[in-house]
Amino acid sequence: MQELGTSGAAERARAVYDYGETAIFASAADPRFHMLLYVPPAAAEGRKIDLLVAVHGTGRTSALEFRDGFAEFGLYNDCAILCPIFPVGVRGDGARSGYKYMIEGDIRYDRVLLSMVAEMAEKYGQDWSQFAMFGYSGGGHFTHRFAILHPERLWAASIGAPGSVTLLDPDRDWWVGLRNLPTRFGRPFDAKALARVPIQMVVGALDLETWEITHRPGSAYYMEGANEAGQTRPERLRSLQRSFEAAGVTVTFDEIAGVSHDRLKCIGAVKAFLTRILKEIRA
């Protein structure tokens, strides 16, 4: 059997690990954070492809589920899928939820994500100055807050069943509202830019458990107004819908009948939404 030469072996490794369902990569900007992708054949052929960033929930295992769950969508829509991994306890303290609120100590998770996108855009020779984002549960936290902070970077956003929401309230501080956004993040809220982003909100109609989403005095993210958007995830997401629509945002709201807190039973509606938006953009 003929052995592959150095260049042949490198090409074989690139085909195995860099395309299709990829290996897990450490972020070059901050190797504490990782990512895995689905990269469709169109990219290997040198064609332009779009990007969907899919953000995991608290358990982090949905990063793999989302990569594989959106692979067929990516194949038939010429769209790469990038799934960041923000580990539990990245600062050595066992904390699970820092990424959901976008800032934790000296870590700015929005910047971590943007550096991943830039790194992979260079790797695959793509222009991903704009991309879509989907997140469910903890990822739904991340997605709507990223959209508030960086609407100019998104061509669509799908917000799935977040446990808590940041309303566009200028009279309350982050994370409940936006009053101190410029001092907290160094940038103002751009309502006009957010209004240009097609937004989907998706949640199971039976997603009614509150044990994990009720903020109690003394807990890490408790602040005044923390529970006022509603008791359940559907109630809180409806509050976010009203807040976004009052700012001029067009929201597609999908409440999935018969479904509780089940990410895999919601992604069909997400694929349908993103497929429609891609067709509109490409037309």
Side-chain angles (χ1 to χ4, degrees), residues 25-89:
F25 302 115
S27 165
D30 190 335
R32 293 176 296 177
F33 302 105
H34 308 101
M35 70 197 103
L36 64 163
L37 299 91
Y38 170 77
V39 182
E45 297 165 4
R47 298 186 354 232
K48 178 186 181 300
I49 60 173
D50 288 290
L51 176 67
L52 167 65
V53 173
V55 186
H56 60 68
T58 308
R60 276 68 175 175
T61 55
S62 57
L64 181 59
E65 293 174 349
F66 290 159
R67 191 274 305 272
D68 295 347
F70 281 100
E72 186 177 34
F73 164 84
L75 173 64
Y76 290 110
N77 289 281
D78 287 348
C79 189
I81 317 300
L82 188 159
C83 300
I85 302 173
F86 305 124
V88 172

Side-chain angles (χ1 to χ4, degrees), residues 14-282:
R14 184 167 167 80
V16 170
Y17 298 114
D18 290 359
Y19 288 90
E21 293 82 6
T22 74
I24 296 175
F25 302 115
S27 165
D30 190 335
R32 293 176 296 177
F33 302 105
H34 308 101
M35 70 197 103
L36 64 163
L37 299 91
Y38 170 77
V39 182
E45 297 165 4
R47 298 186 354 232
K48 178 186 181 300
I49 60 173
D50 288 290
L51 176 67
L52 167 65
V53 173
V55 186
H56 60 68
T58 308
R60 276 68 175 175
T61 55
S62 57
L64 181 59
E65 293 174 349
F66 290 159
R67 191 274 305 272
D68 295 347
F70 281 100
E72 186 177 34
F73 164 84
L75 173 64
Y76 290 110
N77 289 281
D78 287 348
C79 189
I81 317 300
L82 188 159
C83 300
I85 302 173
F86 305 124
V88 172
V90 72
R91 300 173 70 232
D93 55 5
R96 295 187 295 268
S97 297
Y99 79 101
K100 302 174 188 177
Y101 297 90
M102 211 57 68
I103 189 167
E104 182 179 27
D106 62 349
I107 301 170
R108 280 278 302 272
Y109 286 95
D110 56 330
R111 292 175 178 169
V112 172
L113 186 279
L114 288 169
S115 70
M116 290 178 176
V117 171
E119 180 183 348
M120 291 297 107
E122 182 177 2
K123 178 181 177 71
Y124 293 104
Q126 297 291 328
D127 175 8
W128 287 337
S129 53
Q130 283 196 317
F131 49 90
M133 183 176 289
F134 162 68
Y136 189 87
S137 195
H141 279 254
F142 185 95
T143 297
H144 84 277
R145 295 187 178 110
F146 186 92
I148 290 169
L149 285 171
H150 300 282
E152 75 287 350
R153 297 303 306 269
L154 298 174
W155 54 258
S158 177
I159 301 158
S164 298
V165 295
T166 295
L167 303 182
L168 307 181
D169 185 346
D171 298 320
R172 287 190 164 169
D173 286 341
W174 188 269
W175 59 266
V176 171
L178 304 182
R179 179 169 53 196
N180 63 338
L181 200 69
T183 55
R184 191 94 165 115
F185 292 98
R187 56 188 296 133
F189 171 56
D190 188 340
K192 290 183 179 179
L194 183 61
R196 289 192 288 268
V197 181
I199 298 287
Q200 179 190 43
M201 299 182 184
V202 59
V203 66
L206 302 181
D207 196 347
L208 304 177
E209 290 193 5
T210 61
W211 67 272
E212 192 175 20
I213 68 172
T214 301
H215 296 273
R216 294 177 172 83
S219 61
Y221 292 97
Y222 179 81
M223 58 186 297
E224 184 180 351
N227 299 305
E228 290 183 10
Q231 292 187 326
T232 65
R233 293 176 196 265
E235 289 175 0
R236 292 181 178 186
L237 200 55
R238 286 290 186 186
S239 294
L240 187 66
Q241 177 192 15
R242 290 190 292 271
S243 181
F244 272 37
E245 288 180 341
V249 180
T250 299
V251 177
T252 299
F253 197 100
D254 288 307
E255 188 168 274
I256 312 300
V259 171
S260 57
H261 198 57
D262 189 331
R263 53 189 176 261
L264 295 181
K265 290 182 179 178
C266 290
I267 65 172
V270 178
K271 293 175 189 178
F273 168 76
L274 293 173
T275 299
R276 173 172 63 83
I277 299 303
L278 267 179
K279 285 182 178 178
E280 292 173 359
I281 291 171
R282 291 171 177 174

